[in-house]
């Protein structure tokens, strides 16, 4: 396909949009009238159309850059959601440097590469919206040495890019989810289990968040009208990052 692949809808690239929070963000943005480019390892089970799936392992720099070059030549992509993320739960004693690099590759390096390759189109349009999906773990969480470090790294990246790209009309923000009811979360934390109850007890709003509630904040930060907000992090955490709650 040549440049005729360009759709009338505005294009957004989302990494990891086949499952979980990324899928819900994709569904929401498609419903809002956008065209989604989804970079994930496996295709989504369902899609409402207005979406192109690319089988990409974002931890593989060569594969990621070549897929980005391909989509950048077909579509004018001025919105990016760096969502793909992995967790390798471990304490400091049990964190191998291999695990650390694996987490940093997906959670941080892939985000940097996506920005680098999409930047020319955003600069040419003098418009861009970048949202990095961080986590409340960026503020510290036991047994998440690699993960928390990567998610805190994304916040530094967000603020640095916000400053570097402001003159080009590009805003860069982060969203920090707390516990969100994805399939994965629910299978690891079954309703009624003691550990699940402990998590619920730590959330001032007294419940787990829904992926749609994350998608709503992402959608608003991607909106053209959000142009005066940059370098910020919005925690979608039911209040659990606000002081202590008993
Ligand atoms: P998820 O259900 O595991 O979904 C992540 C998606 O990214 C999956 O489709 C996954 O594909 C894909 N992915 C992972 N590694 C990839 C790679 N190397 N290349 C391409 N795609 C890859 O996770 P989620 O819970 O929706 O999390 C989404 C984001 O929110 C992550 O950044 C996560 O850290 C963050 N977050 C989630 C929560 C929560 O409670 N769920 C809380 C805080 C932050 P496979 O399934 O095939 O691996």
């Amino acid at each position: 396909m040549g440049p005729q692949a360009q759709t009338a809808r505005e294009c957004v690239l989302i990494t990891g949009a086949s499952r979980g929070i990324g899928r819900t963000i994709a569904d929401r943005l498609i419903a809002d009238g956008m065209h989604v480019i989804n970079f994930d390892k496996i295709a989504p089970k369902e899609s409402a159309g207005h979406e192109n799936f690319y089988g990409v392992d974002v931890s593989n720099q060569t594969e990621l850059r070549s897929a980005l070059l391909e989509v950048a030549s077909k579509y004018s992509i001025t919105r990016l959601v760096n969502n793909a993320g992995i967790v390798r739960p471990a304490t400091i004693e049990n964190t191998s440097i291999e695990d650390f690099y694996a987490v940093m590759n997906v959670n941080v390096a892939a985000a940097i590469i996506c920005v680098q390759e999409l930047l020319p189109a955003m600069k040419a349009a003098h418009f861009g919206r970048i949202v990095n999906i961080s986590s409340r773990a960026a503020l510290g969480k036991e047994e998440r040495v690699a993960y928390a470090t990567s998610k805190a790294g994304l916040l530094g990246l967000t603020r640095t890019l916000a400053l570097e790209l402001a003159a080009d009309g590009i805003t860069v923000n982060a969203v920090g989810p707390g516990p969100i009811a994805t399939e994965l979360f629910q299978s690891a934390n079954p309703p009624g289990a003691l550990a699940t109850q402990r998590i619920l007890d730590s959330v001032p709003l007294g419940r787990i968040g829904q992926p749609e509630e994350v998608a709503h904040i992402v959608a608003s930060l991607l909106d053209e009208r959000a142009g005066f907000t940059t370098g910020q992090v919005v925690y979608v955490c039911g209040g659990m990052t606000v002081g202590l709650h008993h």
Side-chain angles (χ1 to χ4, degrees), residues 16 19 21 40-41 56-58 83 133-134 147 151 177-178 180:
R19 287 197 311 119
I21 293 172
D40 204 316
K41 288 185 284 181
V56 182
D57 176 352
V58 301
N83 165 78
I133 306 298
S134 177
Y147 183 72
K151 293 300 187 177
I180 303 298

Side-chain angles (χ1 to χ4, degrees), residues 158-173:
T158 299
R159 284 194 284 267
T160 300
L161 294 180
L163 293 175
E164 287 193 7
L165 304 179
D168 291 296
I170 300 165
T171 65
V172 189
N173 292 287

Side-chain angles (χ1 to χ4, degrees), residues 2 4 15 20 39 50 56 58 63 70 74 76 81 101 103 122 131-132 138 163 174 182-183 215 234-235:
Q4 71 276 12
T15 60
F39 278 12
H50 303 297
V56 182
V58 301
E63 199 178 314
E70 185 182 337
K74 286 182 179 168
S76 167
V81 182
Y101 286 146
V103 169
M122 292 191 199
V131 175
N132 297 318
L163 293 175
T182 55
E183 260 174 66
V234 182
Y235 288 103

